[in-house]
mmCIF file of all heavy atoms in Angstrom:
data_model
loop_
_atom_site.group_PDB
_atom_site.id
_atom_site.type_symbol
_atom_site.label_atom_id
_atom_site.label_comp_id
_atom_site.label_asym_id
_atom_site.label_seq_id
_atom_site.Cartn_x
_atom_site.Cartn_y
_atom_site.Cartn_z
ATOM 1 N N VAL A 46 149.586 -180.169 -70.339
ATOM 2 C CA VAL A 46 149.400 -179.711 -71.664
ATOM 3 C C VAL A 46 147.905 -179.482 -71.924
ATOM 4 O O VAL A 46 147.256 -180.409 -71.625
ATOM 5 C CB VAL A 46 150.032 -180.530 -72.764
ATOM 6 C CG1 VAL A 46 149.759 -179.933 -74.090
ATOM 7 C CG2 VAL A 46 151.539 -180.768 -72.526
ATOM 8 N N ASP A 48 144.607 -178.460 -74.562
ATOM 9 C CA ASP A 48 144.196 -178.707 -76.014
ATOM 10 C C ASP A 48 144.206 -177.397 -76.690
ATOM 11 O O ASP A 48 144.096 -177.451 -77.934
ATOM 12 C CB ASP A 48 142.789 -179.378 -76.009
ATOM 13 C CG ASP A 48 142.918 -180.771 -75.524
ATOM 14 O OD1 ASP A 48 143.944 -181.439 -75.468
ATOM 15 O OD2 ASP A 48 141.780 -181.307 -75.150
ATOM 16 N N ASP A 159 152.816 -172.615 -75.135
ATOM 17 C CA ASP A 159 153.085 -172.659 -76.505
ATOM 18 C C ASP A 159 153.847 -171.490 -77.083
ATOM 19 O O ASP A 159 154.609 -171.531 -77.976
ATOM 20 C CB ASP A 159 151.818 -172.945 -77.283
ATOM 21 C CG ASP A 159 151.135 -174.189 -76.929
ATOM 22 O OD1 ASP A 159 151.584 -175.228 -77.151
ATOM 23 O OD2 ASP A 159 150.026 -174.063 -76.236
ATOM 24 N N VAL A 323 150.772 -173.369 -84.037
ATOM 25 C CA VAL A 323 150.535 -174.092 -82.781
ATOM 26 C C VAL A 323 149.160 -174.812 -82.834
ATOM 27 O O VAL A 323 149.030 -176.068 -82.468
ATOM 28 C CB VAL A 323 150.587 -173.130 -81.551
ATOM 29 C CG1 VAL A 323 149.969 -173.770 -80.315
ATOM 30 C CG2 VAL A 323 151.910 -172.623 -81.383
ATOM 31 N N ILE A 324 148.094 -174.132 -83.344
ATOM 32 C CA ILE A 324 146.865 -174.808 -83.456
ATOM 33 C C ILE A 324 146.887 -176.040 -84.380
ATOM 34 O O ILE A 324 146.269 -177.048 -84.064
ATOM 35 C CB ILE A 324 145.783 -173.763 -83.924
ATOM 36 C CG1 ILE A 324 145.599 -172.672 -82.930
ATOM 37 C CG2 ILE A 324 144.543 -174.423 -84.347
ATOM 38 C CD1 ILE A 324 144.765 -171.485 -83.385
ATOM 39 N N LYS A 325 147.530 -175.900 -85.510
ATOM 40 C CA LYS A 325 147.641 -177.071 -86.509
ATOM 41 C C LYS A 325 148.440 -178.182 -85.755
ATOM 42 O O LYS A 325 147.942 -179.366 -85.990
ATOM 43 C CB LYS A 325 148.437 -176.618 -87.748
ATOM 44 C CG LYS A 325 147.672 -175.726 -88.655
ATOM 45 C CD LYS A 325 148.409 -175.273 -89.816
ATOM 46 C CE LYS A 325 147.658 -174.312 -90.755
ATOM 47 N NZ LYS A 325 148.508 -173.869 -91.837
ATOM 48 N N ASP A 326 149.439 -177.945 -85.056
ATOM 49 C CA ASP A 326 150.175 -178.995 -84.428
ATOM 50 C C ASP A 326 149.361 -179.720 -83.312
ATOM 51 O O ASP A 326 149.369 -180.905 -83.223
ATOM 52 C CB ASP A 326 151.401 -178.432 -83.708
ATOM 53 C CG ASP A 326 152.469 -177.917 -84.690
ATOM 54 O OD1 ASP A 326 152.364 -178.295 -85.934
ATOM 55 O OD2 ASP A 326 153.398 -177.128 -84.385
ATOM 56 N N LYS A 327 148.595 -178.949 -82.626
ATOM 57 C CA LYS A 327 147.684 -179.506 -81.596
ATOM 58 C C LYS A 327 146.602 -180.333 -82.270
ATOM 59 O O LYS A 327 146.302 -181.396 -81.653
ATOM 60 C CB LYS A 327 147.059 -178.437 -80.691
ATOM 61 C CG LYS A 327 148.084 -177.859 -79.730
ATOM 62 C CD LYS A 327 147.425 -176.752 -78.783
ATOM 63 C CE LYS A 327 148.353 -176.261 -77.709
ATOM 64 N NZ LYS A 327 148.699 -177.360 -76.701
ATOM 65 N N GLN A 328 145.980 -179.858 -83.237
ATOM 66 C CA GLN A 328 144.956 -180.614 -83.894
ATOM 67 C C GLN A 328 145.522 -181.930 -84.565
ATOM 68 O O GLN A 328 144.882 -182.931 -84.457
ATOM 69 C CB GLN A 328 144.393 -179.763 -85.067
ATOM 70 C CG GLN A 328 143.455 -178.674 -84.474
ATOM 71 C CD GLN A 328 143.000 -177.716 -85.601
ATOM 72 O OE1 GLN A 328 143.543 -177.724 -86.744
ATOM 73 N NE2 GLN A 328 141.981 -176.949 -85.325
ATOM 74 N N GLY A 329 146.841 -181.837 -85.017
ATOM 75 C CA GLY A 329 147.473 -183.042 -85.496
ATOM 76 C C GLY A 329 147.700 -184.067 -84.453
ATOM 77 O O GLY A 329 147.452 -185.269 -84.629
ATOM 78 N N ASN A 330 148.107 -183.584 -83.285
ATOM 79 C CA ASN A 330 148.379 -184.466 -82.222
ATOM 80 C C ASN A 330 147.037 -185.216 -81.631
ATOM 81 O O ASN A 330 147.063 -186.312 -81.259
ATOM 82 C CB ASN A 330 149.079 -183.782 -80.971
ATOM 83 C CG ASN A 330 150.530 -183.344 -81.376
ATOM 84 O OD1 ASN A 330 151.097 -184.087 -82.195
ATOM 85 N ND2 ASN A 330 151.000 -182.334 -80.741
ATOM 86 N N LEU A 331 146.007 -184.356 -81.622
ATOM 87 C CA LEU A 331 144.695 -184.907 -81.174
ATOM 88 C C LEU A 331 144.217 -185.970 -82.050
ATOM 89 O O LEU A 331 143.501 -186.913 -81.633
ATOM 90 C CB LEU A 331 143.647 -183.771 -81.140
ATOM 91 C CG LEU A 331 143.800 -182.731 -79.953
ATOM 92 C CD1 LEU A 331 142.793 -181.626 -80.115
ATOM 93 C CD2 LEU A 331 143.634 -183.445 -78.575
ATOM 94 N N HIS A 332 144.571 -185.929 -83.392
ATOM 95 C CA HIS A 332 144.125 -186.992 -84.321
ATOM 96 C C HIS A 332 145.135 -187.979 -84.583
ATOM 97 O O HIS A 332 145.115 -188.711 -85.542
ATOM 98 C CB HIS A 332 143.688 -186.291 -85.583
ATOM 99 C CG HIS A 332 142.437 -185.380 -85.520
ATOM 100 N ND1 HIS A 332 142.519 -184.149 -85.181
ATOM 101 C CD2 HIS A 332 141.142 -185.741 -85.698
ATOM 102 C CE1 HIS A 332 141.242 -183.588 -85.186
ATOM 103 N NE2 HIS A 332 140.458 -184.611 -85.416
ATOM 104 N N GLY A 333 146.232 -187.996 -83.807
ATOM 105 C CA GLY A 333 147.213 -189.060 -83.907
ATOM 106 C C GLY A 333 148.263 -188.781 -84.938
ATOM 107 O O GLY A 333 148.986 -189.784 -85.437
ATOM 108 N N VAL A 334 148.264 -187.594 -85.540
ATOM 109 C CA VAL A 334 149.211 -187.383 -86.636
ATOM 110 C C VAL A 334 150.513 -186.826 -86.169
ATOM 111 O O VAL A 334 150.668 -186.003 -85.164
ATOM 112 C CB VAL A 334 148.663 -186.251 -87.624
ATOM 113 C CG1 VAL A 334 149.687 -185.883 -88.698
ATOM 114 C CG2 VAL A 334 147.369 -186.679 -88.226
ATOM 115 N N ARG A 335 151.645 -187.417 -86.505
ATOM 116 C CA ARG A 335 152.941 -187.040 -86.000
ATOM 117 C C ARG A 335 153.762 -186.323 -87.064
ATOM 118 O O ARG A 335 153.630 -186.497 -88.345
ATOM 119 C CB ARG A 335 153.799 -188.262 -85.676
ATOM 120 C CG ARG A 335 152.933 -189.081 -84.519
ATOM 121 C CD ARG A 335 152.910 -188.273 -83.212
ATOM 122 N NE ARG A 335 152.164 -189.017 -82.236
ATOM 123 C CZ ARG A 335 151.781 -188.462 -81.147
ATOM 124 N NH1 ARG A 335 152.005 -187.209 -80.853
ATOM 125 N NH2 ARG A 335 151.169 -189.196 -80.133
#
Side-chain angles (χ1 to χ4, degrees):
V46 180
D48 292 338
D159 301 289
V323 168
I324 292 171
K325 289 179 182 178
D326 291 344
K327 284 183 175 288
Q328 290 174 342
N330 290 334
L331 286 174
H332 292 90
V334 178
R335 300 297 179 190

